[in-house]
Amino acid sequence: MTRSVRFTPLTTVIKPAALVAAALFLASCASKPPKSLVTPLPPVAKQPVADKPQQSQQPVRGIWLATVSRLDWPPVTSVNGSPAATRISQQQKALTDKLDKLQSLGINTVFFQVKPDGTALWPSKILPWSDMLTGKIGEDPGYDPLQFMLDEAHKRGMKVHAWFNPYRVSVNTKPSTVAELNRTLSLHPASVFVLHRDWVRTAGERFVLDPGIPEVRDWITSIVAEVVARYAVDGVQFDDYFYAESPASALNDSQTFKQYGQGFSTKADWRRHNTEQLITQVSRTIKQLKPEVEFGVSPAGVWRNLSHDPAGSDTRGAAAYDEAYADTRRWVQQGLLDYIAPQIYWPFARQAARYDVLANWWANVVKPTKTRLYIGVALYKVGEPAKNEPDWTVNGGVPELKKQLDLNESVPQINGTILFREDYLNQPQTQEAVSYIKARWSTNAPEKTASQ
């Protein structure tokens, strides 16, 4: 996730088994353009997600657990040439220790990053193994981290949402990274970087997939289908990286626009259409496989600013609609999401993007829909001095955090809070806030099952 302070109806019913077969087909014939997994929906979808009755549930008290660059897990020290048994033991113990702590704090949902880039934290037939686990792309870690996480979290009464970064192939474009990706050519599966080099672009100083290519969207959908079909995940979440470019490293999709952009007056509208096509396709695929699995997105907190759009929020921040080409408000209105979790990473006093202004704006967006609203809160800022946001250091950040949680619990449309991110629970500057969270949430902590 960015996590920065920058501002035609279905013509046939596709059986779940067919979707899984299609996903595996993509892996086995990766050198050919993959066939579409689902028939695209028309531009206006009639609440495909919300057909089932709304379930009463406890408010989400969640945490993001990032694996990209080993930010939260696995421990960097576990990938140091130790014997495989030692590495596995270290990684599994680190994860169960984290889950024990989360349980003690009253956390009931973990958003676990299973696809940090173009690699996987499960034995995929489409993606190579993540180098986050062993230090080498494609090397079998000797166990299934996703299954291990599901088993251990479910024992503790906690839910797990599989968090995917859809388009990122790598976190940088260094020659050493290129060499490592090229070395996967002999692997089964190899990296998309070598199998479909024509899909790959450079943007934001990373290798990414071009969202305008239909086969790219099919490929991403097949990856989600593989996980949903094979694992007892409680949900699937995409983060805010859609068109993730930067002014110094823009995504060159001019040729793609020329090929696929007919009928769109601007590239921006076409890009937003591409992003919505992915969300629509993934949403429908998940519901065909397992209707009970939730699908959500965690976008940047600002959809659009009021100065650009009368429907926007009274803010002056970087807007998902204009910068990531993600019309997140529309996705809610179309019923494409079970939940949306905007990253509202500013305090009440930050006039450019006030926490209360954005939280209430999103509450009004979801109010006439069946989409649930969880708010992403900036645990990573707590205790950190900042000229524009001094509130995070007042009394250990507890008063600001209290105001945010109070608001979340007082607005009926807000169904939970997600903290970014897990390792900040262990940092010295957050300890007063962590103690506060425990006192506030642990009275309703999930209970261990009898099997534990």
Side-chain angles (χ1 to χ4, degrees), residues 61 96-108 110 156-158 422 425-426 431 434-448 452:
R61 290 168 175 158
T96 54
D97 286 350
K98 287 178 183 296
L99 290 172
D100 285 341
K101 180 168 185 174
L102 295 177
Q103 183 183 31
S104 74
L105 295 176
I107 302 288
N108 60 24
V110 181
R156 293 163 174 79
M158 301 162 73
E422 187 276 334
L425 293 170
N426 310 310
Q431 290 316 295
V434 172
S435 296
Y436 174 74
I437 290 168
K438 183 173 184 176
R440 181 165 184 144
W441 284 357
S442 64
T443 53
N444 295 311
E447 296 180 359
K448 293 184 181 182
Q452 191 177 11

Side-chain angles (χ1 to χ4, degrees), residues 15-274:
K15 301 295 185 183
L19 282 172
V20 180
L24 300 182
F25 172 81
L26 291 185
S28 63
C29 301
S31 60
K32 303 175 184 177
K35 294 183 179 180
S36 178
L37 292 173
V38 291
T39 304
L41 293 173
V44 177
K46 299 298 184 182
Q47 297 285 348
V49 164
D51 290 338
K52 64 182 187 298
Q54 184 83 358
Q55 297 176 347
S56 60
Q57 58 179 353
Q58 291 293 318
V60 163
R61 290 168 175 158
I63 193 90
W64 278 290
L65 199 156
T67 58
V68 65
S69 302
R70 305 186 188 96
L71 291 176
D72 296 327
W73 183 88
V76 175
T77 54
S78 70
V79 189
N80 58 6
S82 300
T86 302
R87 173 180 49 74
I88 292 168
S89 176
Q90 288 178 342
Q91 292 182 1
Q92 293 184 345
K93 184 178 188 305
L95 199 54
T96 54
D97 286 350
K98 287 178 183 296
L99 290 172
D100 285 341
K101 180 168 185 174
L102 295 177
Q103 183 183 31
S104 74
L105 295 176
I107 302 288
N108 60 24
T109 309
V110 181
F111 297 83
F112 180 51
Q113 193 173 36
V114 299
K115 182 185 176 293
D117 45 34
T119 63
L121 273 81
W122 72 95
S124 173
K125 291 182 170 59
I126 307 169
L127 300 172
W129 276 110
S130 177
D131 54 321
M132 295 300 99
L133 299 163
T134 63
K136 184 178 179 182
I137 295 176
E139 183 173 325
D140 189 335
Y143 72 109
D144 182 340
L146 174 53
Q147 188 62 59
F148 185 80
M149 164 61 95
L150 288 166
D151 291 343
E152 294 298 324
H154 287 164
K155 277 184 197 176
R156 293 163 174 79
M158 301 162 73
K159 294 184 176 181
V160 177
H161 287 226
W163 161 19
F164 295 78
N165 183 295
Y167 290 112
R168 185 164 59 209
V169 175
S170 69
V171 296
N172 61 59
T173 59
K174 295 176 182 177
S176 58
T177 298
V178 173
E180 186 173 12
L181 291 168
N182 283 336
R183 279 195 293 270
T184 69
L185 186 57
S186 61
L187 301 178
H188 300 283
S191 171
V192 68
F193 183 85
V194 293
L195 292 179
H196 293 290
R197 193 65 183 85
D198 55 316
W199 293 358
V200 179
R201 307 285 181 264
T202 301
E205 299 176 346
R206 300 174 173 92
F207 290 122
V208 299
L209 298 175
D210 187 336
I213 300 173
E215 291 84 4
V216 164
R217 300 192 293 269
D218 291 342
W219 185 79
I220 293 168
T221 304
S222 76
I223 294 165
V224 176
E226 183 182 55
V227 167
V228 172
R230 286 171 48 186
Y231 293 92
V233 295
D234 300 288
V236 165
Q237 184 182 103
F238 281 178
D239 55 33
D240 54 331
Y241 280 95
F242 294 105
Y243 279 87
E245 57 188 357
S246 66
S249 181
L251 187 146
N252 182 1
D253 56 355
S254 298
Q255 190 59 41
T256 315
F257 179 49
K258 183 178 179 181
Q259 184 174 356
Y260 296 108
Q262 302 92 337
F264 292 89
S265 57
T266 68
K267 184 189 280 190
D269 286 341
W270 170 72
R271 281 182 165 189
R272 280 184 283 272
H273 173 74
N274 295 334

